[in-house]
Amino acid sequence: MQSYWRNFIDGEWGDGGAGRAEIVNPGTGERLAEQAMADAADVDRAVRAALRVHESGALIDMRPVERGRMVQSMGRFLTEHEEDIAHVLCLEQGKPLWEARREIAGAARYFEYYGNQAETLEGRSIPLGAGYVDFTQSEPYGVSAQIIPWNFPVEIAARSLAAGLATGNACVVKTSELTPLSSAWLAEAAVAAGFPAGAVNIFCGWGHEAGAALAGHGEARQIVFTGSVATGIKVAEAAARHIAPCVLELGGKSAAIVHEDADLDAFERDIRWGIYFNAGQICSAMSRVIVHEARHEELVERAAQVARSLSVGPGIDRDTPGLTMGAMASDTQRDRAAGMVSDAERQGARLVTGGRKMNIPGAFLEPTVLSQVTPDMSIAQEEVFGPVLSVMSFRDEAEAVRIANGTEYGLVAGVFTRDLNRASRAAQKLRAGQVFVNEWFAGGVETPFGGYGKSGYGREKGREALWNYVQTKNIAMAVR
Ligand code: NAD
């Protein structure tokens, strides 16, 4: 493992004005490497480099298919280096090695998908009667500023970067101070694809310093933020001061409604993926299950079995896909989640299994199931961002939807039933940007993703995401 990792600004790898940060392996608690930390001057340099590239026309003058091919080739670069990137990602983030490989494959898929979309953005012609020709075109904002969290550092950076570049924006990416290392390959991929210096800038820095400087930079003309609600508010406020549009992908407290006719054998798989994949550190995690009272005991028992079946330990030892779970991203995250479980117990929830930090080095929390959770408890309202499932029960359909919709969030939701009418009614009433029927996480890079309420606004993934990165220009020509 390289001991010191630099930032990539204006085509060069360099130190950061804010010194270095220690990156810790959450799977062991040991120091992994040092990362250069950008200060406000570095951020300014990156934004100006991106603006220079935009104004040069290097990205917007080329035929979109060519730009699309370059974006696609970044994905191929990641695939070629999948093993190296996955290794570093696993060590810095804590996830099992096989999950890290999946993340790199997912990141590559974004470049493939958005590379393919580059030449599909078309305007329309608007009839204005005799004497006029009128048409619209989509133009990139120019500089897309992207602030990335630590849970899927490569995949989330890839999704914003791929859409930003495909639409012709130069991009400035600030990585998370917990997981900056694996993003280095995104910069290498941009170089290998032939993007000019300044088209892709990737650096790490402290959120309150480099993150705030980026969100507040007057030339950051469009901002994509993925992270917590508290930080999202700060980013939106900073962006508002220079009237930059934002995409905010924030947290969630997403619920699955499980009816009495649901296939619980199949649902065990949804529990495994929905709340224990990436140790539950997924904004769209299935953190609440609202089950019909007739199946409550059975579901709680099955959930506990899934939780107990997971082999938990350092991700680097978990090489092949299976029933495994790695560390959480940091001790702070783990202690916060464990504290929320204790609070839930104090408020009357029953700890069915797990809930305690494990007695081994590293940021490990036992896979956890809580039952007898009621909608007023903080565990039912606040995002844990960890491997903690809260089970609640309902009597009738209306109550189930009311409980599911009863938080400030609205990222995703699910309904599990063999009755298509019931599923359709719920899908219409659930307040969420995405509804899964009979399979949690159904969908892919092709399907739009984003939140209602405090889960944010704007959409990432799918065709919808492209509209965040472009603005419409109307050209009206008087023809005499
Ligand atoms: P965070 O908000 O603490 O940090 C996210 C990023 O913002 C980091 O890069 C951080 O350095 C930066 N940042 C911090 N303060 C800043 C400031 N004042 N100005 C600008 N940038 C600043 O979030 P996190 O702890 O890294 O991630 C966990 C949260 O992210 C969870 O709440 C989770 O739900 C959410 N999340 C959402 C999605 C989604 O797509 N909706 C995906 C992943 C994570």
Side-chain angles (χ1 to χ4, degrees), residues 53 56 74 79 81 89 143 153 159 183 228 232-233 271 302 304 321 385 397 406 424 441 463:
V53 169
S56 75
M74 287 180 69
T79 304
H81 295 82
L89 173 60
V143 177
R159 107 182 155 193
S183 303
S228 61
I233 291 170
I271 295 171
R302 284 173 181 263
F385 222 56
E397 201 174 309
S424 305
F441 294 141
R463 292 274 296 164

Side-chain angles (χ1 to χ4, degrees), residues 147-151 156 159 174-177 205-208 211-212 215 225-229 231-232 234-235 249-252 282-283 333 383 385 411 449 455:
I147 301 175
I148 311 299
W150 44 259
N151 58 341
I156 291 177
R159 107 182 155 193
K174 194 205 83 68
T175 58
S176 163
E177 43 281 65
W206 303 108
H208 62 83
F225 171 78
T226 307
S228 61
V229 174
T231 310
K234 287 184 194 160
V235 168
E249 295 285 2
L250 309 177
I282 303 184
C283 45
Q333 287 299 316
E383 184 176 46
F385 222 56
L411 194 51
F449 175 74
S455 291

Side-chain angles (χ1 to χ4, degrees), residues 60-251:
I60 49 176
D61 288 350
M62 81 172 73
R63 200 151 176 152
V65 66
E66 295 299 337
R67 202 168 57 233
R69 285 180 184 141
M70 291 167 77
V71 172
Q72 286 174 27
S73 79
M74 287 180 69
R76 288 195 293 276
F77 182 92
L78 296 188
T79 304
E80 282 157 19
H81 295 82
E82 182 180 285
E83 208 47 41
D84 292 342
I85 315 171
H87 196 83
V88 171
L89 173 60
C90 162
L91 293 176
E92 68 175 339
Q93 204 275 347
K95 62 185 69 191
L97 186 53
W98 67 270
E99 288 191 19
R101 287 194 194 103
R102 280 181 78 115
E103 177 168 345
I104 307 313
R109 175 78 182 106
Y110 280 111
F111 288 104
E112 178 184 47
Y113 177 74
Y114 284 115
N116 276 328
Q117 305 288 322
E119 60 179 327
T120 66
L121 282 187
E122 295 169 345
R124 63 195 177 105
S125 100
I126 300 173
L128 290 180
Y132 295 95
V133 173
D134 188 284
F135 59 96
T136 65
Q137 62 193 38
S138 297
E139 294 185 355
Y141 282 96
V143 177
S144 173
Q146 307 173 353
I147 301 175
I148 311 299
W150 44 259
N151 58 341
F152 290 93
V154 183
E155 204 166 352
I156 291 177
R159 107 182 155 193
S160 302
L161 201 49
L165 290 170
T167 45
N169 291 278
C171 298
V172 180
V173 181
K174 194 205 83 68
T175 58
S176 163
E177 43 281 65
L178 289 182
T179 55
L181 310 182
S182 46
S183 303
W185 277 272
L186 293 168
E188 304 274 12
V191 173
F195 280 103
V200 173
N201 305 275
I202 301 184
F203 55 81
C204 190
W206 303 108
H208 62 83
E209 185 175 17
L214 182 55
H217 199 293
E219 297 295 352
R221 295 179 177 177
Q222 182 256 4
I223 299 170
V224 186
F225 171 78
T226 307
S228 61
V229 174
T231 310
I233 291 170
K234 287 184 194 160
V235 168
E237 284 174 352
R241 277 187 219 110
H242 61 278
I243 322 291
C246 290
V247 178
L248 298 181
E249 295 285 2
L250 309 177

Side-chain angles (χ1 to χ4, degrees), residues 114 159 224 246-249 410-411 432-434 447-453 455-469:
Y114 284 115
R159 107 182 155 193
V224 186
C246 290
V247 178
L248 298 181
E249 295 285 2
L411 194 51
Q434 223 176 20
T447 47
F449 175 74
Y452 284 23
S455 291
Y457 49 72
R459 294 291 177 265
E460 287 277 80
K461 303 167 81 168
R463 292 274 296 164
E464 275 74 2
L466 295 170
W467 311 123
N468 300 315
Y469 294 85

